[in-house]
PDB file of all heavy atoms in Angstrom:
ATOM      1  N   ASP Q  41      18.927 -26.211  -3.553  1.00  0.00           N
ATOM      2  CA  ASP Q  41      18.442 -26.256  -2.198  1.00  0.00           C
ATOM      3  C   ASP Q  41      19.331 -25.504  -1.208  1.00  0.00           C
ATOM      4  O   ASP Q  41      20.533 -25.668  -1.289  1.00  0.00           O
ATOM      5  CB  ASP Q  41      18.477 -27.706  -1.831  1.00  0.00           C
ATOM      6  CG  ASP Q  41      17.838 -27.967  -0.445  1.00  0.00           C
ATOM      7  OD1 ASP Q  41      17.182 -27.105   0.058  1.00  0.00           O
ATOM      8  OD2 ASP Q  41      18.138 -29.074   0.038  1.00  0.00           O
ATOM      9  N   GLY Q  42      18.762 -24.603  -0.501  1.00  0.00           N
ATOM     10  CA  GLY Q  42      19.426 -23.827   0.552  1.00  0.00           C
ATOM     11  C   GLY Q  42      20.286 -22.667  -0.041  1.00  0.00           C
ATOM     12  O   GLY Q  42      20.982 -22.022   0.683  1.00  0.00           O
ATOM     13  N   GLU Q  43      20.029 -22.362  -1.403  1.00  0.00           N
ATOM     14  CA  GLU Q  43      20.830 -21.310  -1.923  1.00  0.00           C
ATOM     15  C   GLU Q  43      20.269 -19.970  -1.532  1.00  0.00           C
ATOM     16  O   GLU Q  43      19.058 -19.804  -1.311  1.00  0.00           O
ATOM     17  CB  GLU Q  43      20.856 -21.435  -3.461  1.00  0.00           C
ATOM     18  CG  GLU Q  43      21.688 -20.438  -4.113  1.00  0.00           C
ATOM     19  CD  GLU Q  43      21.765 -20.595  -5.696  1.00  0.00           C
ATOM     20  OE1 GLU Q  43      21.300 -21.647  -6.094  1.00  0.00           O
ATOM     21  OE2 GLU Q  43      22.431 -19.775  -6.309  1.00  0.00           O
ATOM     22  N   PHE Q  44      21.085 -18.951  -1.555  1.00  0.00           N
ATOM     23  CA  PHE Q  44      20.661 -17.568  -1.363  1.00  0.00           C
ATOM     24  C   PHE Q  44      20.873 -16.778  -2.654  1.00  0.00           C
ATOM     25  O   PHE Q  44      22.050 -16.488  -2.979  1.00  0.00           O
ATOM     26  CB  PHE Q  44      21.420 -16.843  -0.212  1.00  0.00           C
ATOM     27  CG  PHE Q  44      20.849 -15.529   0.189  1.00  0.00           C
ATOM     28  CD1 PHE Q  44      20.035 -15.455   1.339  1.00  0.00           C
ATOM     29  CD2 PHE Q  44      21.086 -14.448  -0.466  1.00  0.00           C
ATOM     30  CE1 PHE Q  44      19.472 -14.273   1.735  1.00  0.00           C
ATOM     31  CE2 PHE Q  44      20.510 -13.129  -0.071  1.00  0.00           C
ATOM     32  CZ  PHE Q  44      19.693 -13.094   1.004  1.00  0.00           C
ATOM     33  N   LEU Q  45      19.872 -16.812  -3.538  1.00  0.00           N
ATOM     34  CA  LEU Q  45      20.086 -16.246  -4.896  1.00  0.00           C
ATOM     35  C   LEU Q  45      19.629 -14.802  -4.914  1.00  0.00           C
ATOM     36  O   LEU Q  45      18.476 -14.503  -4.441  1.00  0.00           O
ATOM     37  CB  LEU Q  45      19.244 -17.071  -5.869  1.00  0.00           C
ATOM     38  CG  LEU Q  45      19.392 -16.529  -7.203  1.00  0.00           C
ATOM     39  CD1 LEU Q  45      20.513 -17.306  -8.043  1.00  0.00           C
ATOM     40  CD2 LEU Q  45      18.076 -16.576  -8.098  1.00  0.00           C
ATOM     41  N   VAL Q  46      20.446 -13.979  -5.414  1.00  0.00           N
ATOM     42  CA  VAL Q  46      19.934 -12.487  -5.462  1.00  0.00           C
ATOM     43  C   VAL Q  46      19.644 -12.251  -6.966  1.00  0.00           C
ATOM     44  O   VAL Q  46      20.314 -12.530  -7.961  1.00  0.00           O
ATOM     45  CB  VAL Q  46      21.141 -11.689  -4.999  1.00  0.00           C
ATOM     46  CG1 VAL Q  46      20.869 -10.183  -5.222  1.00  0.00           C
ATOM     47  CG2 VAL Q  46      21.442 -11.823  -3.609  1.00  0.00           C
ATOM     48  N   LEU Q  47      18.479 -11.520  -7.085  1.00  0.00           N
ATOM     49  CA  LEU Q  47      18.035 -11.055  -8.425  1.00  0.00           C
ATOM     50  C   LEU Q  47      18.183  -9.516  -8.437  1.00  0.00           C
ATOM     51  O   LEU Q  47      17.596  -8.799  -7.559  1.00  0.00           O
ATOM     52  CB  LEU Q  47      16.576 -11.448  -8.457  1.00  0.00           C
ATOM     53  CG  LEU Q  47      15.921 -11.643  -9.842  1.00  0.00           C
ATOM     54  CD1 LEU Q  47      16.570 -12.748 -10.438  1.00  0.00           C
ATOM     55  CD2 LEU Q  47      14.428 -11.895  -9.583  1.00  0.00           C
ATOM     56  N   VAL Q  48      18.968  -9.073  -9.288  1.00  0.00           N
ATOM     57  CA  VAL Q  48      19.261  -7.543  -9.188  1.00  0.00           C
ATOM     58  C   VAL Q  48      18.937  -6.922 -10.608  1.00  0.00           C
ATOM     59  O   VAL Q  48      19.135  -7.582 -11.590  1.00  0.00           O
ATOM     60  CB  VAL Q  48      20.665  -7.236  -8.748  1.00  0.00           C
ATOM     61  CG1 VAL Q  48      21.717  -7.688  -9.820  1.00  0.00           C
ATOM     62  CG2 VAL Q  48      20.852  -5.759  -8.390  1.00  0.00           C
ATOM     63  N   GLY Q  49      18.460  -5.751 -10.626  1.00  0.00           N
ATOM     64  CA  GLY Q  49      18.169  -5.076 -11.893  1.00  0.00           C
ATOM     65  C   GLY Q  49      17.466  -3.726 -11.527  1.00  0.00           C
ATOM     66  O   GLY Q  49      17.022  -3.497 -10.460  1.00  0.00           O
ATOM     67  N   PRO Q  50      17.521  -2.802 -12.528  1.00  0.00           N
ATOM     68  CA  PRO Q  50      16.943  -1.560 -12.262  1.00  0.00           C
ATOM     69  C   PRO Q  50      15.404  -1.714 -12.070  1.00  0.00           C
ATOM     70  O   PRO Q  50      14.691  -2.679 -12.481  1.00  0.00           O
ATOM     71  CB  PRO Q  50      17.097  -0.752 -13.604  1.00  0.00           C
ATOM     72  CG  PRO Q  50      17.467  -1.835 -14.571  1.00  0.00           C
ATOM     73  CD  PRO Q  50      17.981  -2.995 -13.930  1.00  0.00           C
ATOM     74  N   SER Q  51      14.806  -0.611 -11.494  1.00  0.00           N
ATOM     75  CA  SER Q  51      13.410  -0.613 -11.250  1.00  0.00           C
ATOM     76  C   SER Q  51      12.605  -0.846 -12.549  1.00  0.00           C
ATOM     77  O   SER Q  51      12.936  -0.272 -13.564  1.00  0.00           O
ATOM     78  CB  SER Q  51      13.082   0.710 -10.622  1.00  0.00           C
ATOM     79  OG  SER Q  51      11.788   0.928 -10.522  1.00  0.00           O
ATOM     80  N   GLY Q  52      11.537  -1.722 -12.470  1.00  0.00           N
ATOM     81  CA  GLY Q  52      10.801  -1.959 -13.513  1.00  0.00           C
ATOM     82  C   GLY Q  52      11.246  -2.969 -14.512  1.00  0.00           C
ATOM     83  O   GLY Q  52      10.694  -3.299 -15.465  1.00  0.00           O
ATOM     84  N   CYS Q  53      12.196  -3.793 -14.059  1.00  0.00           N
ATOM     85  CA  CYS Q  53      12.813  -4.854 -14.885  1.00  0.00           C
ATOM     86  C   CYS Q  53      12.105  -6.158 -14.728  1.00  0.00           C
ATOM     87  O   CYS Q  53      12.466  -7.179 -15.414  1.00  0.00           O
ATOM     88  CB  CYS Q  53      14.305  -4.969 -14.712  1.00  0.00           C
ATOM     89  SG  CYS Q  53      14.744  -5.762 -13.256  1.00  0.00           S
TER      90      CYS Q  53
END
Side-chain angles (χ1 to χ4, degrees):
Chain Q
D41 185 14
E43 183 174 359
F44 192 101
L45 181 94
V46 173
L47 205 65
V48 67
S51 169
C53 73

